[in-house]
Amino acid sequence: MKKEYIEIKGAVDTVIYQNEENGYTVLKLQTNEGGTTTVVGCLPFVVSGEQLVLRGFWATHPVHGTQFRAEQTDRMMPASAKEIYGYLSSGIIKGVGPATARQIVEKFGEDSLRIIEEEPEKLVTIRGISKKRANDISRAYIQQTSLRRLMEFFTENELSLKYVMKIYKVYGEHAQAALIDNPYMIVDEYFGAEFTEADRLAMKIGFRPDSKERIEAALLYVLAHNSENGHSFIPEEKLVAVVSRLTRVEKDICSRALRSLIENGSVIYEEIAGRNACYLKKLHYAETYIAERLLTLSTVEKFASYEPEKLIDRTERELGIILAEGQREAVRMAAVCGVMALTGGPGTGKTTTVRAILSLFDKMGLKTALAAPTGRAAKRMSELCGREASTIHRLLEAGYDPNTGEHVFNRGENDPLDVDAVILDESSMVDIILMQALLSAMRPNCRLVMVGDADQLPSVGPGNLFGDVIKSGAVRTVRLTEIFRQAEESLIVKNAHLINKGITPDLSARNGDFFFLARYDGERVVETIEELCSIRLPRNMGIDPSQIQVLSPTRLYVTGTSNLNKRLQQALNPPSAEKSEKVYGEFIFRLGDRVMQIKNNYDIIWKKINGEIGTGIFNGDVGQIVELDTKEQILTIEFDDRQATYTFDMLPEIEPAYAMTIHKSQGSEYRAVILSLMKGAPTLMSRAILYTAVTRARELLIVVGDGDVVRRMVENDRPQRRYSGLRARLERG
């Protein structure tokens, strides 16, 4: 449906805030009707005195009141000598200040801007302006005007202004020409546009529905979109069928376009796992690289002049433990293998085994790195092992390349990690892109121990890495099955294993650490969860709300995370005169809120209390808003021992985290978990999702909802199909 915009006109009074990287701006507009209003939107390099025609919507900010959110903009160049002087004297053009601006306008009057753009050599007639400076002024002005024209082009064609700065950075003054030449370029992962946005522009400027550019862009878009759903490849026949429906073009035309992409190397075609697989180039490389490295490591037996059994005995004595046979076998295997996998459910002793392996490696003189895919998982690993662990991103020194706009890892084949072994926890969460990066940063003789629960959900990103590795049989694997006595007393552990076997737990139990509260109405579920978080658990069990995590399979419905976050925020962090707020989208961000990073940001700067500075906040990191300055348009979030400052235009990167989806909770463990279970999409109501939720709780789990939903989830053991070729590659060697 086409948006109905409100239009306002006026001149810029003052610019309150401007982000030069993406153009996000807050300004005061003197409207033609009289009075001023606050405007927010993408308005790069806007200056005081500039005339604007804005189309967008009115919104109410809890602190600043009514604001106008501009989504489309017409920017009129100054015409009179007075307006031109105001424009030039604003400092918008590098090399031109008030004095130079006055000289230019006094000499050329209303023709000043044309002279700057078309005949800059005439500027040398002004005292103090050399030929070089004249050319520099002209070049800076042309850059400004080309960006303005690009914005006008976006507005005319109803494209989101959020892509403007990225496109301009890549193509400069030629950006509009590049867009007209191929509108589908903005579907590229770097720009991030939807296919439908590019398609609307292409159809408007005359591209044929069956044009090569259109069909090829659709093919690449569908492959990229499905990688976000976990697929490493898409079968040829399915890919062609989906693109045919998307573009409404015959399948044979789509097939020819696909063949063209295969021929030029943009898509890799291979028969694998019984499928005619079509890969994006980077995913094919990642999958084949992983298979090659793991197979090489799996053939390496690292026998040395020591006796593993004696070292294991020493390890048991020093740690004060007695390893079960499965645990002992895992430690023995780690001593002699280039790569191994360790898996098992809750209470089976994975952590003790990892501690024993780490101690053994120390005795063998090996320098070991501990890593996990998320900050929370790394922190938990550090606490349990008594040794610093880091995220994979931090271990690989993730960074941001300003020239390409892509993230990079500074550690790789050319600058590998200075370690002899890597122990990787929560391996089920690791996708093939991240695993390829880790393996490439490991020296050829570096050992790898992969640890995780193979029955949990697979990674959010592409591939089914841990599951494929174990099922292939190509990597030596130990599966721990014995539940230790202390863990056996936990209903959380007992019920997790029952669920994994397809047995519905006894929901009537009223003692222990697992409770079920039957509620058959969505509103009653939410009310009960509010009461548990704000009153019952803090008062009766001494559990602070910060130690409680509410989970749900879905974002939707009354019992989904979107509504739960609003209700829990109201209950746990209500508004007050002392708490500043910022409205963004469907949420109100408030001082003191618990929030989660929902996308990787490789260049955001963080600082620790001890003064250590680093970069990178990643998808799944949870923190608390400790500062929110509505005047400066910034907020500061504390992530465990790090603080990072966000400008308001970065708010799409965070969301409230009082409640989160079960998928988002992977890799984390909480003192208390409250699980909201009512209706949801069939694909989300599965055994693996329920099992993952239950295993997030360390001391207490309370399920609130419908017992029939629990039963149906236990019975639904149909895993979501993921197209991956890694298992087949490992099996065939």
Side-chain angles (χ1 to χ4, degrees):
M1 184 186 298
K2 188 173 181 179
K3 292 182 179 178
E4 293 295 331
Y5 290 115
I6 299 168
E7 185 174 279
I8 62 172
K9 301 177 182 178
V12 177
D13 182 50
T14 53
V15 177
I16 300 170
Y17 170 81
Q18 192 162 77
N19 186 313
E20 292 186 5
E21 285 296 308
N22 57 25
Y24 179 80
T25 302
V26 181
L27 59 82
K28 288 288 186 182
L29 187 77
Q30 184 74 42
T31 66
N32 291 355
E33 289 76 25
T36 60
T37 190
T38 302
V39 174
V40 297
C42 181
L43 294 159
F45 307 118
V46 70
V47 294
S48 298
E50 190 171 345
Q51 295 288 327
L52 303 176
V53 178
L54 303 168
R55 286 175 287 281
F57 308 93
W58 292 105
T60 302
H61 188 283
V63 176
H64 299 294
T66 302
Q67 293 181 335
F68 189 81
R69 295 183 182 174
E71 293 200 359
Q72 295 181 1
T73 310
D74 289 334
R75 299 170 67 170
M76 290 153 286
M77 292 302 292
S80 69
K82 181 180 179 181
E83 290 172 345
I84 292 171
Y85 169 73
Y87 173 76
L88 293 176
S89 64
S90 68
I92 193 169
I93 297 177
K94 189 176 181 181
V96 178
T100 304
R102 177 170 286 105
Q103 288 179 292
I104 292 173
V105 174
E106 286 177 352
K107 186 168 185 66
F108 300 110
E110 295 178 0
D111 205 27
S112 296
L113 298 181
R114 189 194 66 78
I115 293 293
I116 291 173
E117 181 174 9
E118 300 176 8
E119 301 179 82
E121 65 275 6
K122 291 185 177 180
L123 295 177
V124 299
T125 60
I126 295 174
R127 185 179 178 183
I129 298 183
S130 64
K131 184 177 180 181
K132 181 181 181 301
R133 188 182 177 196
N135 288 330
D136 288 343
I137 291 171
S138 180
R139 191 177 302 111
Y141 175 72
I142 290 171
Q143 287 177 344
Q144 297 290 334
T145 54
S146 61
L147 179 57
R148 286 169 174 267
R149 289 164 185 156
L150 182 62
M151 291 184 65
E152 291 168 4
F153 181 79
F154 266 60
T155 297
E156 290 167 5
N157 293 284
E158 300 180 10
L159 291 172
S160 173
L161 292 176
K162 64 185 177 182
Y163 312 127
V164 164
M165 292 301 288
K166 283 187 174 183
I167 293 172
Y168 187 75
K169 282 181 180 179
V170 174
Y171 294 98
E173 60 195 82
H174 306 294
Q176 185 172 329
L179 260 176
I180 293 172
D181 184 56
N182 183 9
Y184 295 103
M185 71 179 191
I186 60 174
V187 180
D188 181 86
E189 186 179 4
Y190 171 63
F191 301 118
E194 295 289 328
F195 176 79
T196 51
E197 293 180 274
D199 203 37
R200 184 170 59 240
L201 172 60
M203 294 298 101
K204 184 175 180 180
I205 62 179
F207 274 70
R208 298 192 323 276
D210 62 350
S211 68
K212 181 172 179 288
E213 294 89 347
R214 182 173 188 252
I215 307 305
E216 288 184 356
L219 287 161
L220 294 172
Y221 172 76
V222 169
L223 284 172
H225 179 75
N226 278 277
S227 73
E228 296 173 3
N229 294 329
H231 300 295
S232 299
F233 70 82
I234 299 295
E236 179 183 16
E237 63 278 7
K238 183 171 183 179
L239 176 60
V240 168
V242 170
V243 171
S244 177
R245 288 197 298 271
L246 175 64
T247 60
R248 298 181 182 178
V249 170
E250 295 296 326
K251 289 183 181 180
D252 60 336
I253 296 174
C254 297
S255 292
R256 287 198 295 272
L258 176 59
R259 286 294 141 191
S260 176
L261 289 173
I262 293 170
E263 288 170 7
N264 68 31
S266 298
V267 171
I268 306 298
Y269 174 86
E270 182 182 2
E271 293 184 12
I272 189 79
R275 297 282 185 171
N276 298 327
C278 296
Y279 287 85
L280 288 174
K281 187 160 55 176
K282 68 175 182 179
L283 296 183
H284 183 266
Y285 174 75
E287 194 175 273
T288 53
Y289 184 92
I290 291 168
E292 179 184 331
R293 283 298 306 272
L294 291 181
L295 287 168
T296 300
L297 285 170
S298 69
T299 60
V300 175
E301 293 287 335
K302 294 181 175 290
F303 291 106
S305 58
Y306 56 79
E307 299 179 58
E309 294 299 333
K310 289 185 177 180
L311 290 180
I312 294 173
D313 291 340
R314 274 183 56 196
T315 296
E316 286 184 319
R317 289 194 299 271
E318 290 176 9
L319 295 179
I321 59 174
I322 298 176
L323 296 170
E325 184 49 43
Q327 293 175 307
R328 193 176 185 93
E329 173 61 21
V331 180
R332 188 184 300 118
M333 192 178 291
V336 300
C337 291
V339 59
M340 66 161 289
L342 173 65
T343 186
T348 57
K350 291 195 302 296
T351 299
T352 299
T353 307
V354 169
R355 289 174 58 219
I357 291 173
L358 181 59
S359 177
L360 180 80
F361 284 173
D362 288 345
K363 293 175 178 59
M364 292 166 61
L366 302 179
K367 185 177 180 181
T368 306
L370 303 181
T374 67
R376 288 249 165 171
K379 182 182 180 184
R380 182 161 56 93
M381 194 180 190
S382 297
E383 293 168 349
L384 295 173
C385 293
R387 185 84 59 87
E388 183 181 2
S390 67
T391 63
I392 301 173
H393 289 90
R394 188 176 174 195
L395 181 68
L396 301 183
E397 298 177 13
Y400 181 83
D401 186 340
N403 296 316
T404 64
E406 297 179 351
H407 77 267
V408 293
F409 292 113
N410 293 314
R411 292 288 189 169
E413 290 179 341
N414 295 327
D415 186 14
L417 297 167
D418 181 25
V419 296
D420 305 302
V422 173
I423 301 177
L424 176 62
D425 200 12
E426 297 290 351
S427 296
S428 63
M429 294 182 64
V430 181
D431 64 36
I432 61 172
I433 295 293
L434 196 53
M435 190 64 184
Q436 181 266 319
L438 176 61
L439 286 170
S440 69
M442 290 169 51
R443 295 179 301 202
N445 61 344
C446 185
R447 303 164 185 257
L448 174 64
V449 178
M450 301 175 68
V451 184
D453 187 342
D455 295 313
Q456 287 185 21
L457 294 170
S459 60
V460 175
N464 188 20
L465 175 79
F466 198 49
D468 283 350
V469 167
I470 291 173
K471 291 173 185 175
S472 73
V475 171
R476 295 179 68 177
T477 300
V478 173
R479 181 181 285 272
L480 301 177
T481 56
E482 179 184 348
I483 304 175
F484 290 89
R485 184 176 302 171
Q486 185 177 356
E488 200 171 28
E489 297 172 359
S490 165
L491 280 179
I492 294 173
V493 172
K494 180 181 178 181
N495 289 339
H497 285 275
L498 288 174
I499 290 167
N500 206 26
K501 294 175 182 176
I503 302 170
T504 302
D506 178 9
L507 300 179
S508 63
R510 283 290 177 269
N511 60 324
D513 52 11
F514 184 111
F515 297 91
F516 174 74
L517 302 180
R519 302 289 187 272
Y520 302 102
D521 174 75
E523 183 58 33
R524 287 285 294 123
V525 169
V526 175
E527 290 173 356
T528 301
I529 291 173
E530 282 182 306
E531 185 182 1
L532 286 167
C533 290
S534 60
I535 301 173
R536 290 168 62 177
L537 294 189
R539 180 183 298 169
N540 300 336
M541 301 188 71
I543 301 177
D544 190 84
S546 64
Q547 298 175 308
I548 304 169
Q549 184 59 59
V550 177
L551 301 179
S552 172
T554 180
R555 297 176 60 90
L556 307 178
Y557 312 111
V558 174
T559 55
T561 61
S562 182
N563 183 57
L564 282 168
N565 270 312
K566 294 172 185 175
R567 295 285 291 270
L568 289 170
Q569 182 194 46
Q570 186 66 25
L572 301 175
N573 190 29
S576 75
E578 291 75 34
K579 297 175 186 174
S580 49
E581 298 180 344
K582 167 64 180 175
V583 177
Y584 186 85
E586 62 177 307
F587 298 120
I588 299 173
F589 292 99
R590 183 175 297 137
L591 184 66
D593 275 344
R594 186 195 307 175
V595 293
M596 177 195 292
Q597 180 80 11
I598 58 172
K599 63 181 291 187
N600 291 336
N601 186 324
Y602 296 88
D603 62 336
I604 190 169
I605 298 172
W606 52 258
K607 186 175 182 179
K608 290 187 176 182
I609 297 174
N610 64 8
E612 180 186 347
I613 296 175
T615 59
I617 301 293
F618 302 108
N619 188 2
D621 287 351
V622 175
Q624 184 180 29
I625 299 175
V626 294
E627 180 185 6
L628 200 160
D629 191 324
T630 54
K631 184 177 181 180
E632 296 294 328
Q633 303 277 303
I634 60 171
L635 57 82
T636 301
I637 303 174
E638 188 168 274
F639 296 94
D640 294 324
D641 59 346
R642 299 167 296 157
Q643 285 193 354
T645 299
Y646 290 63
T647 53
F648 279 5
D649 58 294
M650 296 166 65
L651 289 178
E653 296 185 13
I654 61 172
E655 65 180 27
Y658 297 102
M660 68 176 70
T661 63
I662 296 166
H663 275 95
K664 287 288 188 182
S665 73
Q666 282 182 266
S668 297
E669 188 178 74
Y670 310 96
R671 183 181 177 188
V673 168
I674 300 174
L675 178 57
S676 169
L677 279 189
M678 289 291 283
K679 64 180 179 178
T683 54
L684 296 175
M685 311 305 284
S686 70
R687 183 187 302 175
I689 287 179
L690 179 59
Y691 175 78
T692 300
V694 171
T695 54
R696 298 309 89 207
R698 186 171 67 249
E699 295 181 19
L700 178 67
L701 174 70
I702 302 176
V703 181
V704 184
D706 189 338
D708 284 341
V709 173
V710 176
R711 177 181 52 77
R712 288 197 297 271
M713 291 182 77
V714 172
E715 293 172 353
N716 179 15
D717 192 31
R718 291 171 294 182
Q720 286 183 271
R721 174 112 196 214
R722 285 198 171 200
Y723 293 112
S724 166
L726 181 59
R727 177 180 176 181
R729 296 182 197 282
L730 292 169
E731 286 176 342
R732 73 188 185 191

